[in-house]
Amino acid sequence: MAQEFPTQAQVVIIGGGIIGCSVAYHLTKLGWTDVVLLEQGQLSGGTTWHAAGLVGQLRSHANMTSLIKYSTQLYSELEAETGLATGWKNCGSVSVARTADRMTVLKRTAASARAQGVAIEVISPKEAQDLWPVMAIDDLVGAVWLPGDGKANPTDLTQSLAKGARNRGARIVERVRVTGISTKNGAVTGVETDRGAIAAQIVVNCAGQWARKVGQMCGVSVSLHSAEHMYIVTGKIDGVHPDLPVMRDPDGYIYFKEEVGGLVMGGFEPEAKPWGMTGIPDDFEFALLPDDWDQFEILMQNALERVPQLATSEVKKFYNGPESFTPDNNFILGEAPELKNFYVGAGFNSMGIASAGGAGRALAEWIVNGAATMDLWPVDIRRFANFNNNPRWLHDRVKETLGLHYAMPWPNRELDTARPFRRSPLYDRLAAKRACFGSKMGWERANWFAAADETPVTAYSFGRQNWHEAVRREMEATRTAAGVFDQTSFAKLLVQGRDAAAALNRICAAEIDVEIGRSVYTGLLNERGGYESDLTVMRLAVDRFLLVTGSAQAVHDADWIRKNIAADAHVTLTDVTSAYAVLALMGPKSRDILARLTSADLSNEGFPFATIREIDIGYATAYANRMTYVGELGWELIVPTEFAVGVYEALHEAGRDFGLLDCGYYALEALRLEKGYRAWSRELTPDITPYEAGLAFAVALDKPGGFIGQEALVAAKAKGVPTRRIVQFTVDDASPMLWGGELILSDGKPIGEVRSAAYGHTLGRSVALGLIEHASGVDKDFLTGSRFEVELAGERFAVTACLSAAYDAKGLRVKA
């Protein structure tokens, strides 16, 4: 007898692809069995069924790698649990390099893999051919071999996960279409379908290509757009056997895997073909798009070079299956900031099969715990804002993001499409001064300024890039005279109301119930004591605070703060990012320059560090916050947008004979690294505590009323010396360029990875901040008694651990 259609559930999951089934499987595994999964067609009928099924473990972010490592473990064990085959085969993978630059990438990948505990081997072209005998190798420079990689059958895997979920009580209903999302008081209350309504405490949007449309039903932005993804399946080819590894040739934009004695060959062409501008048909089930050999030509040509036998092989099938891609090529996970208890798991960018096991577990844990259980920032839904959901912008951006799979991952690589997007009031002024712009959260930001005889275009390389001298000039000006940085992209949040001070003091780790006119640097911590953000809180009045945080963090931080304000508290939060430009005037001459423009007392006594005042600057009235991110005297000038150009012109007029120079974000990054200042999402993450970060000074551990994360920090402090620490290093040799992600070794053994790096021109060498781990504690004795190295594309260089900021020590650094 057929089961009645459910009318209520604790959790409703929309979408029966591999992600939806993985979330259902993991929720039931965590003990939440009142789960209903709705699929508009049949399970795996959307994108999942035509996925290639490649499972490559390694990602640039350690937690993203750990999600896939978990996937491989799950896929290998699932058949034993459910009795349904998954097609999982641990066949390993080979990636080949046609150029020296690509080989540098593969060697950097190998070092990163060792830092993350992933087995990898750098091999010769001949060794690659021994593993993959059907390829030509005359144009190859080298390769890497990852024995732990593999492949799976997406449809079988989905059915196996679904059975595991059903076995523990989940209900899966096919042939039912969600037509609306029910909400009340800012929270989801259920779903409406063509077979009736279902009340639910939590709704999870795993609708794949339809996830954007489902989000629009309830005002939630899911920034993704479909693009065509093509591959062919050949007849039998001599030398191809069932255990043949997966093979990737990123310089040719192509991949191969074995299937029934033949090859699946597909790829990610540099300029993709977006699809579905007018919406994705609801009945697009187990369906494909027309063959497009013109679009596929670049892939076919490269494949013929790699596997000459393809020229005489039968093409049995051409698959053109659309998939959804996000603006940055990472998937989307988490609770929507716009709607409480509405979660999203979508936009897997052709990486859904590899990531599905780990991503499904991570999202299930987030749902059960009410917060993420690990650092998931690269995929966090809050990294996007509603303007990232603009359909025309998404269409143009997705042309590029599909190709990023195999594009050269140059250091500081910028995306070129759908720009310019957001512009500061000074954009035209900076462009006229030969600024080379980068993009952060859509903002056009000056990375560096070209001299009269230079072109303001970055020439990418793994060595010193063409802006090396420009950044030296900008750093020197800031250290010896003054620099002005346009930091308008800073996110600004206004928190006000009778209970604002009490609410913020519980959310912030530092004491922020300070006198009016004080600025406080603080972390926002989670219950584990890790950083959800770090920002500056400025008290403007008894009941009004201005928070200035990172460019990428406006949505995330506003959401975190709102979620942690008591429902009955008298507090409002407003994003005022667009209301203010920020001009950072930094350097030993900054006081002299500003003094020419203001009647305010700028002396140390009259305007001490960590003070904010409203002052006159030329004709404008603006906030001046005495704070620094470069380690020099300076003020962040928070200027109403309409006065920004006037203040900028006045600063240059006043600063001309003091040597004031426009400076960009590359100089800012290097200056902060010379001082050892930490940055959120790199040195500060949800997995790193203030003690591990070396920021205990910014925690008021005993403040009345406590704060989120206090218990975890009290316990961490009681344990004594942390076993993990953020440590500053300088490279002993003045020539190498570090970029971040390099392996750190202690006495020849892997011990951690570089989180941020730049060339410190003041120090005359590269400087880095790295996260290192040592079982018996990272203390002074360990740092001074060990021999440290970094591995840079296969070559090791001695580095010195700094016990105090390298810039402050100025040559008095302790030698390790």
Side-chain angles (χ1 to χ4, degrees):
M1 190 177 97
Q3 274 188 307
E4 282 185 28
F5 189 73
T7 57
Q8 63 181 56
Q10 185 177 12
V11 182
V12 169
I13 299 168
I14 304 168
I18 190 166
I19 306 302
C21 290
S22 180
V23 174
Y25 174 89
H26 286 97
L27 280 172
T28 59
K29 205 167 185 180
L30 290 168
W32 282 30
T33 56
D34 185 13
V35 174
V36 169
L37 183 149
L38 306 176
E39 163 55 42
Q40 65 180 359
Q42 289 177 259
L43 292 185
S44 80
T47 297
T48 299
W49 75 276
H50 61 70
L54 312 185
V55 182
Q57 302 167 87
L58 196 61
R59 297 291 181 265
S60 58
H61 188 282
N63 281 4
M64 299 303 101
T65 299
S66 75
L67 293 184
I68 300 173
K69 285 170 78 175
Y70 168 77
S71 292
T72 62
Q73 179 193 334
L74 173 68
Y75 301 166
S76 67
E77 298 167 353
L78 202 55
E79 184 175 354
E81 178 194 334
T82 67
L84 291 183
T86 62
W88 166 249
K89 197 168 196 60
N90 175 201
C91 56
S93 78
V94 176
S95 290
V96 301
R98 299 187 185 204
T99 66
D101 280 333
R102 181 68 68 177
M103 198 61 218
T104 297
V105 174
L106 295 185
K107 286 176 178 174
R108 286 176 63 85
T109 297
S112 180
R114 284 196 284 277
Q116 297 179 37
V118 173
I120 193 167
E121 193 180 336
V122 178
I123 58 176
S124 68
K126 180 67 179 72
E127 289 170 313
Q129 190 180 45
D130 291 343
L131 289 163
W132 219 82
V134 290
M135 72 168 149
I137 60 169
D138 49 342
D139 61 339
L140 295 184
V141 180
V144 291
W145 161 241
L146 286 99
D149 284 358
K151 59 185 180 179
N153 181 305
T155 300
D156 290 351
L157 197 49
T158 303
Q159 294 291 352
S160 192
L161 286 165
K163 185 174 181 186
R166 277 197 196 98
N167 287 348
R168 284 189 291 268
R171 286 194 58 191
I172 294 175
V173 187
E174 296 179 306
R175 302 280 171 219
V176 59
R177 185 159 294 147
V178 172
T179 56
I181 308 293
S182 310
T183 67
K184 187 177 181 181
N185 299 331
V188 76
T189 56
V191 300
E192 297 152 25
T193 80
D194 57 3
R195 289 173 60 184
I198 307 176
Q201 295 165 37
I202 286 165
V203 174
V204 191
N205 177 3
C206 296
Q209 295 184 99
W210 294 269
R212 182 172 180 272
K213 175 184 169 184
V214 169
Q216 286 175 320
M217 293 176 181
C218 53
V220 169
S221 290
V222 184
S223 301
L224 50 82
H225 197 296
S226 291
E228 300 186 14
H229 180 217
M230 306 166 202
Y231 64 85
I232 58 170
V233 182
T234 77
K236 291 198 171 174
I237 293 177
D238 287 344
V240 172
H241 54 83
D243 296 319
L244 193 73
V246 170
M247 202 275 277
R248 296 177 178 87
D249 178 2
D251 293 312
Y253 320 116
I254 48 176
Y255 60 78
F256 300 86
K257 73 161 189 174
E258 181 273 340
E259 189 162 298
V260 201
L263 289 173
V264 169
M265 184 282 286
F268 300 97
E269 63 274 27
E271 184 162 334
K273 188 178 172 189
W275 178 74
M277 275 303 286
T278 55
I280 316 292
D282 287 335
D283 58 358
F284 194 81
E285 182 192 355
F286 292 107
L288 294 171
L289 301 175
D291 299 357
D292 187 342
W293 284 100
D294 289 340
Q295 180 72 12
F296 197 69
E297 183 181 11
I298 188 170
L299 306 181
M300 196 70 207
Q301 288 296 336
N302 282 310
L304 287 166
E305 290 172 19
R306 187 60 51 233
V307 182
Q309 278 179 259
L310 281 178
T312 55
S313 302
E314 174 198 6
V315 175
K316 290 172 65 176
K317 182 76 178 164
F318 186 112
Y319 284 87
N320 182 4
E323 299 186 36
S324 55
F325 292 81
T326 65
D328 65 359
N329 213 33
N330 280 325
F331 53 88
I332 294 172
L333 220 57
E335 186 179 10
E338 303 96 334
L339 184 62
K340 192 169 170 52
N341 297 330
F342 184 85
Y343 291 78
V344 179
F348 279 82
N349 311 291
S350 288
M351 293 183 289
I353 308 307
S355 299
R361 185 188 68 175
L363 191 53
E365 289 176 353
W366 194 328
I367 292 164
V368 170
N369 288 283
T373 55
M374 64 194 297
D375 175 16
L376 294 168
W377 177 243
V379 297
D380 193 313
I381 189 170
R382 294 167 295 182
R383 73 190 188 277
F384 295 128
N386 64 345
F387 52 72
N388 293 118
N389 208 24
N390 175 294
R392 186 181 298 261
W393 183 83
L394 279 171
H395 172 273
D396 291 355
R397 172 53 59 90
V398 161
K399 285 181 184 177
E400 183 176 16
T401 53
L402 177 141
L404 292 180
H405 281 273
Y406 291 160
M408 188 69 77
W410 297 114
N412 295 330
R413 184 192 176 101
E414 296 281 355
L415 299 185
D416 299 319
T417 49
R419 289 177 58 191
F421 191 34
R422 302 171 84 185
R423 286 180 251 196
S424 123
L426 302 176
Y427 175 81
D428 289 347
R429 306 291 165 126
L430 302 183
K433 290 188 174 182
R434 307 175 66 74
C436 179
F437 291 97
S439 178
K440 184 75 170 279
M441 195 60 180
W443 286 100
E444 294 294 324
R445 312 196 308 178
N447 281 337
W448 58 280
F449 289 84
D453 59 343
E454 295 173 331
T455 307
V457 175
T458 295
Y460 295 124
S461 76
F462 288 102
R464 294 183 181 184
Q465 296 185 1
N466 63 323
W467 44 260
H468 191 76
E469 276 304 299
V471 169
R472 183 193 60 74
R473 291 192 297 268
E474 295 167 27
M475 292 179 70
E476 186 177 356
T478 307
R479 292 277 185 236
T480 62
V484 60
F485 300 80
D486 178 13
Q487 295 186 271
T488 298
S489 65
F490 272 161
K492 304 123 198 151
L493 307 172
L494 189 64
V495 179
Q496 49 194 340
R498 185 183 62 226
D499 302 323
L504 282 176
N505 225 7
R506 204 184 75 79
I507 292 167
C508 298
E511 175 62 67
I512 61 94
D513 193 1
V514 293
E515 63 267 28
I516 295 165
R518 296 292 292 168
S519 297
V520 180
Y521 168 73
T522 183
L524 309 186
L525 307 182
N526 54 40
E527 295 288 0
R528 297 178 287 129
Y531 279 90
E532 287 297 325
S533 185
D534 75 320
L535 44 73
T536 304
V537 178
M538 292 166 268
R539 188 163 206 172
L540 306 181
V542 171
D543 59 354
R544 193 163 82 252
F545 296 82
L546 181 64
L547 280 54
V548 175
T549 184
S551 306
Q553 289 150 251
V555 177
H556 173 276
D557 289 8
D559 181 64
W560 180 263
I561 293 166
R562 284 193 182 107
K563 284 201 170 105
N564 285 292
I565 294 174
D568 58 351
H570 191 279
V571 185
T572 60
L573 182 151
T574 311
D575 186 332
V576 294
T577 300
S578 300
Y580 296 98
V582 178
L583 289 170
L585 178 67
M586 297 288 151
K589 303 293 186 189
S590 57
R591 181 181 280 122
D592 300 322
I593 295 168
L594 198 54
R596 289 182 171 182
L597 299 171
T598 185
S599 59
D601 179 358
L602 300 177
S603 66
N604 277 328
E605 300 74 30
F607 208 134
F609 185 76
T611 298
I612 181 168
R613 296 249 161 83
E614 193 167 51
I615 67 170
D616 55 296
I617 308 171
Y619 293 144
T621 302
Y623 290 113
N625 179 42
R626 191 166 160 206
M627 196 64 76
T628 180
Y629 198 46
V630 302
E632 302 294 344
L633 173 70
W635 282 264
E636 292 169 351
L637 306 175
I638 303 167
V639 185
T641 303
E642 68 271 30
F643 290 109
V645 172
V647 170
Y648 175 78
E649 290 173 341
L651 287 173
H652 271 290
E653 183 67 29
R656 186 174 296 126
D657 52 343
F658 285 111
L660 178 65
L661 205 65
D662 285 290
C663 301
Y665 273 82
Y666 288 174
L668 188 74
E669 177 77 350
L671 290 160
R672 74 106 180 161
L673 284 167
E674 289 186 336
K675 279 288 292 184
Y677 293 150
R678 280 54 168 155
W680 195 78
S681 86
R682 284 177 284 176
E683 292 79 46
L684 309 179
T685 77
D687 296 337
I688 293 175
T689 70
Y691 299 129
E692 294 168 330
L695 295 177
F697 72 87
V699 176
L701 200 59
D702 303 321
K703 68 176 170 180
F707 59 91
I708 299 168
Q710 184 183 32
E711 287 180 23
L713 292 195
V714 169
K717 191 174 184 182
K719 285 184 180 174
V721 179
T723 57
R724 301 192 312 159
R725 283 283 284 274
I726 296 290
V727 177
Q728 187 188 42
F729 294 94
T730 56
V731 184
D732 294 357
D733 184 333
S735 56
M737 288 290 291
L738 300 187
W739 297 106
E742 293 86 3
L743 178 67
I744 303 171
L745 304 107
S746 168
D747 299 325
K749 296 190 180 75
I751 195 172
E753 65 169 2
V754 172
R755 288 297 179 96
S756 301
Y759 197 87
H761 285 279
T762 323
L763 306 171
R765 58 198 66 243
S766 281
V767 57
L769 289 172
L771 179 66
I772 62 172
E773 194 163 352
H774 183 240
S776 56
V778 181
D779 56 11
K780 181 178 176 180
D781 290 344
F782 175 69
L783 292 175
T784 55
S786 304
R787 181 177 57 84
F788 293 106
E789 297 171 295
V790 294
E791 184 174 317
L792 182 61
E795 194 175 350
R796 293 185 182 181
F797 294 92
V799 294
T800 297
C802 305
L803 300 185
S804 60
Y807 174 62
D808 295 343
K810 288 199 176 174
L812 302 175
R813 299 185 309 282
V814 178
K815 281 284 178 189

